[in-house]
Amino acid sequence: MHGALAARSRNGTALHSLNLPVHQYKMTAELDFVLILDNLVLAIEVKGGQVSCRDGVWTYSDRAGHRRTSREGPFKQVQSAMYALRERLRGRLGPIIDDVAFGWLVITPDVDLASSFEWDDETYCGRGPFSRDPDKMIDRACNYWISKQPGKPPIGKKLHDKLLHELRPSFDRSPLLDARASLLDVAMIRLTDEQYARLDLISDEPRVMCSGGAGTGKTFLAAEVARRQALLGNRVLFTCRSEVLAAFAARMLKGTSVEVKPVSALRGLAPFDVLVIDEGQDLMTFDILEQLEGSMVGGWAEGRWTIFLDHNRQAHLYGDFDTDALKFLQSFGPVNPMLKFNCRNTREIAFQTRAYTGADTGVATAGAGPEVTFVVVDSPEAELAALEKHLRSLSEQEVAPENITIVSLRGEWESSAAKGLKAARKGRLAQMSPAIASVWPGGGMTWSSALDIKGMENRFVCVIDIDSVVTDRELDLIYVALSRPRAGLWIATSPQVSEQMAERLAKHLDGAMDAYRKAAT
């Protein structure tokens, strides 16, 4: 959680869940909260549930009844982590940190610990003080630590911003969010600055419709919004139309209390406190909206809901998009933030997607990558041979099979060029399904329709089975397919499709070039 904190007259920033990779005697350590205030950096350790200590052994029991023991109590834990934090900041920012006052506070919101000579009362807050006046407990701890470090100057805005810049990338690292480099190999990433700003806005607003093009991080941001709302004690539903995307989201939100269901599986569920919708453009029918209204407390008018949707070419994929349904939701006065930065695609991929579809793919921030490859083939046999050759090339460059997805615009396995691949004959090419999405992208190389891979991505994508790019639905499909890769994009087209795409390129090239130059500066 990141946002402004006001404890009576104290202003500052509150940050949640800081992982410290360097610690005096641990491989890693974590701080529950860090407050950057006017005169102090305050580390806070929170121990919920039952807490007890007998013969130097601390026992913690959470609200679900799970128990664990430790010889390191919460006071020693937060103290050592605070010192590790201070040393890490000193290594990053230099001696200026010596002029910053640091302190710590332990909170047990469910119990009151007996007084002890091991800690001062000002460094501890139990159930009683926490429930009566949490502001007062912070004030008391701050005054205590400031009095112990006389002569420390205030933390000015410039230093505050430096501290936040160093600390924030380490905050809110979530096992639900993927780096553009590798979903499989990188377990946690930091959010972009734009996403932080949108999260701050969404946390303050009851109704939100957040839009952005492919690659702007809508699905990961939707999952993060759901996770945060659940941490606040709300009963949260994450939903979308695609069963495949729902399975992928469930994997991202594993270990949280968020309920993840496709809209087809919502009947019979009790209303939720918060509704988070991904790929909202897929749900714009009055039948679906009526079903969703019964899934949240207060309905559309009074409920708390956040919808993420693509303002580009995805309205025609299911064939039932209703502009009146979208206007209906807008009538409830949601705030409408935009995501403008593409944090998935390289500049080359973002350029090609925009050049051939006209879609606003955002300002590409992933940097430069390999050139997009187009191959013109005049028969299904030639398409199969070209695809096989490209896959061999990726293998020779040590690209792992799980980092490759073949996207079919036709979306029919039986007629797909990929069915004849050597990998398919040997059972090493998995067709996209909810089961595959739940372990994505594990399990080897994958084949997917463009419709099923919406909201997901992979390092390398091969686009095949393109019959035409003339109708609105065909253009929507090519938009989805071209925007899936993080690193490498390979496309096979027939001579006829190549001509159709050349016409699209002539129409949208100037706008794509402007966006490319903006991303390069």
Side-chain angles (χ1 to χ4, degrees), residues 79-98:
Q79 182 180 14
S80 63
M82 182 204 73
Y83 286 126
L85 171 65
R86 187 173 69 179
E87 289 306 307
R88 184 166 177 79
L89 286 172
R90 195 180 193 283
R92 297 287 189 91
L93 299 178
I96 191 174
I97 295 301
D98 295 339

Side-chain angles (χ1 to χ4, degrees), residues 197-238:
R198 299 301 173 262
L199 283 169
D200 289 343
L201 184 150
I202 290 169
S203 66
D204 294 333
E205 298 291 341
R207 286 169 288 283
V208 179
M209 294 186 72
C210 183
S211 61
T216 54
K218 296 185 300 298
T219 296
F220 299 121
L221 194 55
E224 183 67 5
V225 168
R227 182 182 73 90
R228 289 177 178 221
Q229 287 295 329
L231 288 173
L232 293 175
N234 292 315
R235 188 164 176 264
V236 182
L237 171 66
F238 182 109

Side-chain angles (χ1 to χ4, degrees), residues 7-42:
R8 297 194 189 281
S9 62
R10 301 184 188 278
N11 297 310
T13 304
L15 299 169
H16 173 248
S17 296
L18 170 63
N19 292 310
L20 297 171
V22 179
H23 190 278
Q24 185 176 3
Y25 56 89
K26 293 182 180 180
M27 291 184 66
T28 62
E30 182 181 70
L31 284 166
D32 290 333
F33 290 91
V34 173
L35 310 187
I36 307 174
L37 304 173
D38 291 336
N39 299 83
L40 179 76
V41 175
L42 185 67

Side-chain angles (χ1 to χ4, degrees), residues 53-73:
C53 181
R54 183 184 296 267
D55 298 327
V57 177
W58 289 80
T59 301
Y60 307 106
S61 302
D62 64 23
R63 292 166 182 171
H66 303 125
R67 294 164 59 90
R68 66 181 183 87
T69 61
S70 173
R71 289 197 172 275
E72 181 184 59

Side-chain angles (χ1 to χ4, degrees), residues 312-331:
N312 287 302
R313 305 207 57 96
Q314 293 201 49
H316 305 281
L317 289 172
Y318 287 93
D320 55 7
F321 181 90
D322 189 338
T323 55
D324 288 334
L326 179 60
K327 292 177 182 177
F328 170 73
L329 289 184
Q330 291 284 12
S331 71

Side-chain angles (χ1 to χ4, degrees), residues 200-319:
D200 289 343
L201 184 150
I202 290 169
S203 66
D204 294 333
E205 298 291 341
R207 286 169 288 283
V208 179
M209 294 186 72
C210 183
S211 61
T216 54
K218 296 185 300 298
T219 296
F220 299 121
L221 194 55
E224 183 67 5
V225 168
R227 182 182 73 90
R228 289 177 178 221
Q229 287 295 329
L231 288 173
L232 293 175
N234 292 315
R235 188 164 176 264
V236 182
L237 171 66
F238 182 109
T239 190
C240 55
R241 188 162 182 169
S242 166
E243 293 183 6
V244 171
L245 181 56
F248 177 58
R251 178 207 174 213
M252 291 193 293
L253 288 163
K254 185 178 181 180
T256 74
S257 63
V258 178
E259 190 85 13
V260 181
K261 297 283 186 182
V263 291
S264 60
L266 297 184
R267 297 190 184 281
L269 297 178
F272 290 79
D273 302 318
V274 179
L275 177 64
V276 178
I277 294 174
D278 191 26
E279 299 289 348
Q281 72 281 347
D282 297 345
L283 309 180
M284 292 302 155
T285 75
F286 280 104
D287 287 343
I288 293 177
L289 295 186
E290 182 179 359
Q291 183 181 0
L292 289 171
E293 182 160 34
S295 300
M296 62 179 144
V297 176
W300 293 115
E302 302 295 333
R304 188 174 189 96
W305 47 268
T306 300
I307 300 176
F308 291 85
L309 70 165
D310 192 331
H311 57 280
N312 287 302
R313 305 207 57 96
Q314 293 201 49
H316 305 281
L317 289 172
Y318 287 93

Side-chain angles (χ1 to χ4, degrees), residues 124 154 171 225 351:
Y124 168 68
F171 279 80
V225 168
F351 168 77

